[in-house]
């Protein structure tokens, strides 16, 4: 309830508008690394520096692809690969644990030029779920695969497979134990192949409690051919149960891209994003009602999502290069850059 009160109080004040592009840039990129109760004074200077460096590195990976004339889809894979390997983020190696003590990973990707898309849910041994989502899009006749079938397909396609212990981090394991204790649920046994237990700073676990009840990474990119694409990858919610799947692999909810409107990647409490079809709803407001990208994003996030009691945020981009983000939480890891422009990275709600 305290989190909801904070989100509601800040809903009207965490807007982050910035000027729309005056001329279409050759390429553009906008990234998020998850939203939550991310507050000044609650994060150490060292941890803040780590997140800012990680977001700048993500921009650098995307810029390298787009500046060389690569596709928006390639840029998304490059950006998310690094974030899936970075324990700072709730995706890939930094994924949170389910109540059963597993890392279950979801991802999706969408091509705005063709509306082709691919998604995967509940995979446990694929190092880069975003690449598996793209393989589903490019090399299968389906849109979404899940669980063991998705991993069988990954093996057939020659994607990199890793043992579940690859994704294990002490920080996320202890956060799961704390979450289960609050729920009155017994914690699972520590995996036999997990690294030896080590101490985790209490402040880090407190931050995780506030910040990573949910978490996701996502990218929207515009390439030099004028095409938009969007991609999202996540470990889901801490201590999730019963094979829960959130919005990240659901096209139209957590990810959407169309050259006729915009691309969106979302992060938040997925149950609300699914019910509101947040990503496609924003694009529909741009395409069919003529709202600016920022107006559409704010209407859905600040008004509609908040009214439902949902929390989280989005990053978005149009084929003309307009960039927007909007979130109703105290903070969201986010970054943007366009060809010829300076990179911008934000964490807290009072940063542009």
């Amino acid at each position: 309830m305290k989190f909801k009160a904070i989100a509601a109080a800040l809903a009207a004040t965490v807007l982050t508008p910035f000027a729309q592009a005056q001329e279409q840039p050759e390429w553009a990129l906008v990234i998020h690394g998850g939203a939550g109760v991310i507050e000044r004074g609650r994060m150490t200077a060292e941890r803040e520096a780590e997140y800012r460096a990680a977001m700048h590195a993500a921009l650098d990976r995307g810029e390298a692809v787009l500046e060389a004339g690569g596709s928006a889809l390639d840029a998304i894979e490059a950006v998310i690969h690094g974030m899936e390997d970075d324990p700072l983020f709730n995706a890939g190696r930094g994924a949170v644990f389910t109540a059963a003590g597993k890392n279950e990973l979801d991802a999706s990707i969408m091509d705005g030029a063709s509306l082709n898309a691919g998604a995967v849910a509940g995979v446990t041994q694929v190092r880069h779920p975003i690449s598996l989502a793209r393989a589903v899009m490019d090399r299968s006749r389906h849109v979404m695969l899940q669980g063991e079938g998705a991993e069988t397909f990954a093996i057939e396609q020659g994607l990199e497979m890793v043992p579940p212990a690859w994704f294990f981090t002490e920080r996320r394991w202890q956060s799961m134990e704390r979450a289960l204790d609050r729920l009155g649920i017994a914690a699972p046994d520590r995996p036999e192949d997990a690294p030896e237990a080590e101490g985790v700073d209490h402040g880090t676990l407190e931050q995780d409690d506030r910040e990573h009840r949910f978490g996701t990474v996502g990218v929207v990119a515009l390439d030099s051919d004028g095409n938009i694409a969007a991609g999202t990858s996540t470990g889901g919610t801490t201590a999730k149960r019963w094979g829960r799947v959130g919005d990240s692999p659901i096209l139209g909810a957590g990810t959407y891209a169309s050259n006729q409107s915009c691309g969106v990647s979302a992060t938040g409490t997925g149950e609300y994003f699914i019910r509101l079809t947040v990503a496609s709803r924003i694009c529909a407001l741009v395409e069919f009602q003529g709202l600016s990208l920022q107006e559409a994003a704010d209407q859905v996030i600040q008004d509609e999502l908040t009214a439902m009691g949902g929390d989280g945020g989005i990053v978005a981009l149009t084929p003309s290069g307009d960039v927007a983000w909007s979130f109703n939480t105290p903070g969201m890891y986010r970054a943007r850059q366009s060809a010829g422009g300076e990179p911008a990275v934000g964490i807290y709600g009072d940063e542009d």
Side-chain angles (χ1 to χ4, degrees):
M1 293 302 295
K2 182 178 179 182
F3 178 84
K4 293 293 185 183
I6 293 171
L10 292 177
T13 64
V14 296
L15 307 183
T16 54
F18 31 84
Q20 294 183 341
Q22 299 300 308
E23 297 181 4
Q24 179 172 335
E26 183 177 353
W27 58 263
L29 188 67
V30 62
I31 303 168
H32 70 76
V37 186
I38 307 166
E39 300 169 307
R40 292 185 186 276
R42 294 293 196 105
M43 185 184 299
T44 66
E46 292 77 13
R47 180 51 59 92
E48 178 178 331
E50 289 176 355
Y51 274 108
R52 291 189 186 278
M55 295 304 290
H56 276 289
L59 286 176
D60 289 344
R61 291 192 298 274
E63 178 185 12
V65 173
L66 295 170
E67 190 68 28
S71 72
L73 291 166
D74 289 342
I76 286 167
E77 273 198 275
V79 171
I80 293 182
H81 271 199
M83 300 178 89
E84 288 174 335
D85 281 346
D86 190 336
L88 286 174
F89 300 105
N90 178 14
R93 198 165 202 178
V96 298
F97 285 89
T98 70
K102 298 180 179 181
N103 305 110
E104 294 181 354
L105 313 175
D106 308 330
S108 62
I109 195 167
M110 187 166 184
D111 179 5
S114 62
L115 301 187
N116 286 337
V120 294
V123 297
T124 61
Q125 299 183 80
V126 180
R127 178 173 177 177
H128 293 299
I130 192 66
S131 290
L132 178 54
R134 186 170 182 186
V136 172
M137 177 179 70
D138 290 341
R139 307 177 208 167
S140 84
R141 58 188 179 90
H142 304 300
V143 171
M144 179 183 286
L145 302 179
Q146 57 86 28
E148 292 182 6
E151 296 191 329
T152 297
F153 178 73
I155 293 169
E156 291 176 355
Q157 298 303 312
L159 298 184
E160 184 175 359
M161 308 297 289
V162 292
W166 163 265
F167 303 108
F168 186 101
T169 60
E170 192 67 34
R171 169 189 178 188
R172 302 303 194 202
W173 181 261
Q174 292 192 26
S175 291
M176 176 270 293
E177 290 182 321
R178 288 161 63 97
L180 291 177
D181 183 65
R182 288 192 295 270
L183 293 170
I185 299 172
D189 293 335
R190 187 182 182 91
E192 293 183 359
D193 55 355
E196 184 176 345
E198 59 185 74
V200 177
D201 177 74
H202 180 75
T204 296
L205 295 177
E206 290 289 343
Q207 178 185 328
D208 281 356
D209 287 346
R210 296 189 306 273
E211 173 189 333
H212 281 293
R213 184 167 56 84
F214 50 73
T216 309
V217 304
V219 187
V220 188
L222 167 69
D223 62 32
S224 57
D225 290 327
N227 293 321
I228 287 281
T232 311
S233 182
T234 188
T237 60
T238 301
K240 64 183 179 181
R241 304 181 73 188
W242 308 300
R244 178 264 189 190
V245 176
D247 64 301
S248 296
I250 307 297
L251 280 304
T255 305
Y256 193 78
S258 170
N259 283 4
Q260 302 305 309
S261 53
C262 66
V264 174
S265 177
T267 173
T269 305
E271 285 72 10
Y272 293 94
F273 282 70
I274 294 169
R275 290 159 57 193
L276 198 56
T277 60
V278 163
S280 61
R281 193 177 188 89
I282 291 170
C283 294
L285 289 172
V286 171
E287 182 174 1
F288 300 114
Q289 294 194 23
L291 272 64
S292 72
L293 185 63
Q294 191 68 57
E295 289 171 340
D298 289 340
Q299 177 175 316
V300 174
I301 298 300
Q302 305 300 329
D303 298 339
E304 299 172 7
L305 180 69
T306 301
M308 290 180 68
D311 41 29
I314 62 91
V315 296
L317 176 62
T318 69
S320 61
D322 296 338
V323 179
W325 50 53
S326 187
F327 50 98
N328 67 357
T329 53
M332 181 172 75
Y333 300 113
R334 59 204 188 272
R336 69 180 190 269
Q337 187 169 7
S338 299
E342 292 296 318
V345 171
I347 296 177
Y348 308 112
D350 58 0
E351 297 179 89
D352 289 338

